[in-house]
Amino acid sequence: MVRGATGANGREPIMHQQLSDLVIARLRESITSGAYRPGDRLVEGRIAQELDVSRVPVREALRALAVEGLVEVRPRHGAVVASFDPASARELVQIRATLEGLNARLAAEHCTPELVKRIEKVLQAGNAKVVAGETSGLLELNAQFHDLLYAAGANAMLAELMRSMRDRSRMLFVNASDEEVRVTWEEHAAILRAVQSGDAAFAALLAERHVTRAAQYYLDNIAR
């Protein structure tokens, strides 16, 4: 099937949509991992060549990531990795930390044994990668951990709001070193222990601190 073509019903072919989603995921990971830094140009042709795809899915990916707030499309300049001014970055961190704290508090009150087991499996997978020094897949596992914690909070409206905030603030949470990654997963485990014990206040405190610390590298080194 020709890339970029549309089917008889006017919808995008499944193969094209899957390719577009894959390109979005690859670019998102490159930005949130720090491979691309704020202000870096994102040249369609170069990215298409690197990923061995046509320019169409790359162009669509850049548009999608612009909606998420990871990319800015500037007139006569093209697409670049988005950046936050210091005040906006700190405001985002404050809001997300507060929301994550509230969710952790609710999770401590409502989390089920089944969800605890699912979160534990994600923690085990993440820790195994950290010990092995593997970074591939860690971002996805991190997202799974937080999504399951949102489910444990049992507040659909709060979960939707936090996912929106996570999309807007992805690049603020760049792990700068192997040590940062290790600490991140230790903090995940500590949050889960607090949730399991039903200590709502402590779970909230740990979740807020986790968000603030995870963004500290960006705040100290980029958002100046």
Side-chain angles (χ1 to χ4, degrees):
M1 184 174 290
V2 179
R3 293 174 181 170
T6 56
N9 58 5
R11 297 178 181 175
E12 294 185 21
I14 291 176
M15 287 178 63
H16 172 80
Q17 190 58 49
Q18 289 175 337
L19 179 62
S20 180
D21 291 342
L22 178 61
V23 174
I24 290 171
R26 289 284 297 275
L27 284 178
R28 183 188 292 120
E29 182 172 3
S30 293
I31 293 172
T32 56
S33 68
Y36 289 126
R37 294 175 62 81
D40 283 354
R41 290 192 64 196
L42 299 169
V43 182
E44 284 183 14
R46 185 184 306 158
I47 295 172
Q49 185 175 16
E50 290 174 353
L51 299 182
D52 194 23
V53 298
S54 71
R55 290 193 179 199
V56 174
V58 175
R59 189 175 303 123
E60 293 172 349
L62 293 175
R63 289 172 182 165
L65 294 176
V67 173
E68 292 185 14
L70 292 179
V71 170
E72 296 176 3
V73 180
R74 299 174 179 174
R76 298 183 299 279
H77 191 71
V80 299
V81 178
S83 58
F84 292 97
D85 62 80
S88 295
R90 286 177 171 78
E91 287 173 359
L92 275 173
V93 172
Q94 289 171 351
I95 294 170
R96 184 169 171 189
T98 300
L99 293 177
E100 293 281 356
L102 173 59
N103 181 77
R105 181 184 296 274
L106 293 173
E109 298 171 354
H110 301 293
C111 194
T112 65
E114 179 186 358
L115 271 172
V116 167
K117 289 181 180 179
R118 292 174 63 187
I119 297 173
E120 285 176 337
K121 287 183 179 179
V122 173
L123 281 174
Q124 291 171 1
N127 285 326
K129 285 186 174 293
V130 171
V131 171
E134 298 178 10
T135 58
S136 176
L138 269 179
L139 286 173
E140 177 60 29
L141 288 170
N142 182 74
Q144 288 179 26
F145 171 83
H146 285 283
D147 282 338
L148 288 170
L149 204 61
Y150 298 166
N155 187 313
M157 188 173 294
L158 177 60
E160 182 180 353
L161 183 58
M162 286 192 296
R163 288 192 184 95
S164 175
M165 287 300 303
R166 190 170 70 190
D167 287 342
R168 292 182 61 188
S169 62
R170 284 180 190 273
M171 71 180 59
L172 303 183
F173 300 90
V174 175
N175 289 312
S177 65
D178 292 342
E179 176 66 12
E180 288 288 313
V181 175
R182 183 187 64 77
V183 172
T184 290
W185 286 88
E186 287 181 352
E187 290 176 346
H188 285 169
I191 293 169
L192 180 59
R193 287 195 298 270
V195 167
Q196 283 182 280
S197 69
D199 192 337
F202 191 45
L205 177 63
L206 291 177
E208 290 182 20
R209 286 179 175 175
H210 172 64
V211 172
T212 302
R213 187 209 58 77
Q216 202 61 50
Y217 175 80
Y218 186 98
L219 296 176
D220 288 345
N221 296 278
I222 299 175
R224 291 182 175 178

